[in-house]
Amino acid sequence: MSENNINMKDFVIGTFVGTIVGASIALVFAPKSGKELRGDINEGAQQVKNRAGDWKEIAQEKSSDWKDKAFTTSVEFKKRAMDTTSNITKNVSQKTQDLTKKTQDLTKSISTKFNNEDKTLVEAADSEK
C-alpha cells in the first residue's frame, strides 16, 4: 500500500510539473507580444493556482474521511477487545468456581472414606484385643 501511495504521489507531481513546463514553453514560443505573453503567463499561473486549490480541498476531504474511518474502526476494535476480554474473564471465573467445587467435593469424599476406614481399623483392632 505504501508503494502505491508513493507511485500516486510521483504521478501527481509529474503531472503538475509537466503541465507547468508545457504551458510555459507554449507561451514562450507563441507568436505574441511581450504584454500579451505576460498576460497569458499570469492567466496560466492563476489557473494552476486554482487547480492546486481544488486539489488541496480534495485532499482535505479525503483525509477527513480517512480520519473518520480510522476513528470508527478503532472504536469498533476497542469494543470487540473489551467484549472478548469480558467473555474470557467470565469463562475463567466460571471454570474456577466449577473446579473449586469439584475439589471441595473430592476432598469431602476422600475425607469421609478415610474416616470410615479409620473407624473400621479401630474396630478391628479393638476386637483383636
Side-chain angles (χ1 to χ4, degrees), residues 7-45:
N7 289 340
M8 179 60 111
K9 186 173 101 176
D10 291 343
F11 175 76
V12 170
I13 291 171
T15 302
F16 181 70
V17 170
T19 301
I20 291 172
V21 169
S24 299
I25 289 174
L27 291 174
V28 168
F29 288 108
K32 295 183 180 183
S33 69
K35 189 173 190 178
E36 289 175 353
L37 181 60
R38 284 190 300 275
D40 288 347
I41 290 173
N42 286 334
E43 185 179 320

Side-chain angles (χ1 to χ4, degrees), residues 105-118:
D105 291 346
L106 184 60
T107 302
K108 188 185 266 184
S109 172
I110 290 172
S111 177
T112 303
K113 188 172 183 179
F114 278 127
N115 285 340
N116 289 339
E117 287 181 13
D118 284 348

Side-chain angles (χ1 to χ4, degrees), residues 1-12 66:
M1 175 148 180
S2 178
E3 186 176 313
N4 190 22
N5 287 339
I6 292 171
N7 289 340
M8 179 60 111
K9 186 173 101 176
D10 291 343
F11 175 76
V12 170
W66 290 343

